[in-house]
Amino acid sequence: MHTEHTEETEEFLLPRSRQANERLHAMVPGGAHTYAKGDDQYPENLAPVISHGRGAHVWDIDGNRYIEYGSGLRSVSLGHAHPRVIEAVRRELERGSNFVRPSIVEVEAAERFLATVPTAEMVKFAKNGSDVTTAAVRLARAVTGRPRVAICGDHPFFSVDDWFIGTTPMSAGIPAAINELTVAFPYGDLAATEELLTRYQDEVACLILEPAGHTEPPPGYLAGLRELADRHGCVLIFDEMITGFRWSEAGAQGLYGVVPDLSTFGKALGNGFAVSALAGRRELMERGGLRHSGDRVFLLSTTHGAETHSLAAAMAVQTTYVEEGVTARLHALGERLAAGVRDAAAGMGVADHIVVRGRASNLVFATLDENRQPSQQYRTLFLRRLLAGGVLAPSFVVSSAVSDADIDRTVDVVAQACAVYRKALDAADPTPWLAGRPVKPVFRRLA
């Protein structure tokens, strides 16, 4: 059972989690292996350390249970410890996980992936998103002979590698000469993108973007990008880490009917197990293979990229999505949650300050101050109240394990949080409700 903890009952400020966080910081830079999971992303002393999870719920080491959203940074879209996935993984674990030659599981996993994403002709698996986005960029540079990478400047993350991180405030350690090779274009603006391609005529190897984000692509936009890439001789890359499966089993490319040259998948593909995929046109992908006469491209070569249990997890995920209509369920759950949150915010007079955005299967929320500007302080207040009510929600991204009862409970907790939010707005100062420093953005120059 969840233990309520409020500002008035300081003994419930997660003492075991706080101690574990200190132990982590002593050994692990940043106290987490993903910056987005850092305790700086949560209110002070309210960063739970997880013991275990099942379905849509997680338990922290202090014994509190939470309804969890954004599960595993969007990777656990079927819920924790999904029986079908776990059974597939367990079966392979008993047969060995890694060999000196390819496993038959690699054949089966590639066939399953290409049947699920029929717009792709070849696929290569790896362990995380950065592996495959960087491989896509390297391949694009190789096939075009061009040095520059054009990224969508409105999308938050593409890779841990230099070609992208050099463009963020956390660019320490990356030479300026590398940063200069990455340029940015705005989402939804074909004219600006064409101007960029014209300015760097015959220099841009690829356009890389998430095909959709918090808003739907403008009519004709993705088809227009396809035409621009063809006309300027560059490679079109869709980063489908988030849109893959959550938009459709075949990704956003399957939903919108625009085929990129290369695309990258991960996150939901393994339901928490480490697997990602680079997919695309045979003509390009084969440059990383053995059956061509050109210069070889060191595309992807990972010791653990074809672990049998991770590929088995991916196959189980794809089967579950198709047979159980998971994408439609994610949308239905998200619609119900978004409507409930919006009603709760309106009921407390904060509808213009707690704003739910995004596709129903991939909801985020904005916390705006009295001037309707994004506010980390108000985000801190909101997160504190959600945590106190047993809702762990850095976003409102649902998994298919979320129940209607979970959503009803979440909406009740959101309503209570909105009541406090209203008080802070009326006072024009959220500070008394923060109980410590505000949460911080992931990308910042100084700690």
Side-chain angles (χ1 to χ4, degrees):
M1 179 176 290
H2 174 74
T3 303
E4 295 290 334
H5 43 78
T6 68
E7 292 87 351
E8 291 76 31
T9 54
E10 293 297 315
E11 66 269 25
F12 290 116
L13 286 182
L14 309 184
R16 291 189 181 92
S17 290
R18 183 176 183 180
Q19 183 183 49
N21 275 315
E22 287 304 312
R23 289 163 62 195
L24 279 164
H25 278 282
M27 299 178 287
V28 177
H33 289 88
T34 314
Y35 283 115
K37 295 184 183 182
D39 57 9
D40 60 337
Q41 302 301 295
Y42 291 86
E44 194 164 357
N45 300 326
L46 278 184
V49 173
I50 304 303
S51 163
H52 62 287
R54 184 162 296 278
H57 296 148
V58 295
W59 286 258
D60 67 26
I61 60 174
D62 290 280
N64 299 301
R65 184 182 74 169
Y66 305 87
I67 304 165
E68 188 199 43
Y69 294 96
S71 314
L73 305 181
R74 297 179 174 86
S75 67
V76 187
S77 63
L78 300 178
H80 299 291
H82 187 275
R84 195 169 194 167
V85 177
I86 294 301
E87 177 53 37
V89 168
R90 184 179 291 114
R91 190 164 56 245
E92 290 305 327
L93 285 176
E94 295 174 351
R95 293 163 51 85
S97 61
N98 216 330
F99 312 105
V100 76
R101 279 282 295 150
S103 160
I104 189 63
V105 176
E106 296 174 53
V107 179
E108 297 163 354
E111 287 174 343
R112 180 69 55 83
F113 182 90
L114 294 173
T116 306
V117 187
T119 41
E121 295 174 331
M122 297 188 84
V123 62
K124 195 155 189 179
F125 295 112
K127 300 312 284 182
N128 60 66
S130 296
D131 291 344
V132 289
T133 53
T134 291
V137 165
R138 184 185 302 119
L139 185 55
R141 281 170 160 163
V143 299
T144 62
R146 299 174 179 181
R148 294 191 188 273
V149 176
I151 65 171
C152 181
D154 296 313
H155 294 158
F157 188 79
F158 289 105
S159 174
V160 301
D161 294 301
D162 290 2
W163 62 270
F164 172 70
I165 289 297
T167 69
T168 76
M170 292 177 71
S171 60
I174 301 171
I178 291 176
N179 297 343
E180 289 165 5
L181 292 177
T182 300
V183 294
F185 61 93
Y187 188 79
D189 190 336
L190 290 173
T193 306
E194 181 157 33
E195 191 278 326
L196 182 78
L197 291 171
T198 302
R199 188 189 329 156
Y200 297 107
Q201 188 71 39
D202 299 329
E203 293 183 35
V204 175
C206 61
L207 301 170
I208 182 168
L209 73 156
E210 296 178 42
H214 298 323
T215 59
E216 287 292 290
Y221 173 62
L222 295 178
L225 272 186
R226 175 71 277 174
E227 190 274 329
L228 272 180
D230 290 340
R231 182 147 46 87
H232 286 267
C234 56
V235 175
L236 181 62
I237 305 170
F238 282 176
D239 177 341
E240 298 247 34
M241 291 297 147
I242 293 173
T243 53
F245 296 93
R246 285 191 177 274
W247 264 242
S248 82
E249 303 93 63
Q253 60 194 279
L255 181 66
Y256 300 124
V258 175
V259 181
D261 298 302
L262 299 171
S263 55
T264 59
F265 288 76
K267 292 193 183 289
L269 179 60
N271 202 52
F273 286 92
V275 60
S276 61
L278 170 66
R281 288 170 44 208
R282 182 176 303 276
E283 177 188 356
L284 274 65
M285 294 286 289
E286 190 59 83
R287 286 289 297 273
L290 298 174
R291 299 183 174 182
H292 67 93
S293 57
D295 290 342
R296 295 183 68 194
V297 176
F298 198 89
L299 187 58
L300 279 164
S301 185
T302 53
T303 299
H304 302 289
E307 279 179 325
T308 58
H309 58 271
S310 291
L311 295 183
M315 286 189 282
V317 166
Q318 289 165 92
T319 299
T320 303
Y321 261 79
V322 172
E323 291 185 2
E324 298 183 12
V326 171
T327 301
R329 174 165 172 76
L330 293 174
H331 278 79
L333 289 168
E335 292 283 6
R336 181 184 171 102
L337 177 61
V341 170
R342 287 170 181 143
D343 286 348
M348 294 296 173
V350 295
D352 292 335
H353 301 274
I354 294 175
V355 182
V356 181
R357 296 173 175 160
R359 193 171 180 84
S361 59
N362 189 54
L363 296 171
V364 297
F365 57 82
T367 51
L368 310 182
D369 64 16
E370 52 273 8
N371 298 314
R372 299 182 186 176
Q373 296 301 305
S375 167
Q376 294 295 100
Q377 286 188 306
Y378 278 96
R379 179 175 173 84
T380 308
L381 177 157
F382 192 56
L383 289 175
R384 279 189 67 84
R385 301 313 309 171
L386 294 184
L387 286 162
V391 176
L392 180 58
S395 68
F396 282 140
V397 177
V398 296
S399 75
S400 65
V402 170
S403 68
D404 288 347
D406 290 329
I407 291 176
D408 292 343
R409 170 65 182 163
T410 301
V411 171
D412 286 344
V413 172
V414 166
Q416 296 166 30
C418 289
V420 178
Y421 206 111
R422 183 68 259 170
K423 291 179 184 177
L425 287 170
D426 291 341
D429 180 14
T431 307
W433 290 275
L434 300 190
R437 53 109 183 104
V439 299
K440 301 178 181 180
V442 169
F443 288 114
R444 58 186 193 274
R445 191 171 68 87
L446 300 175

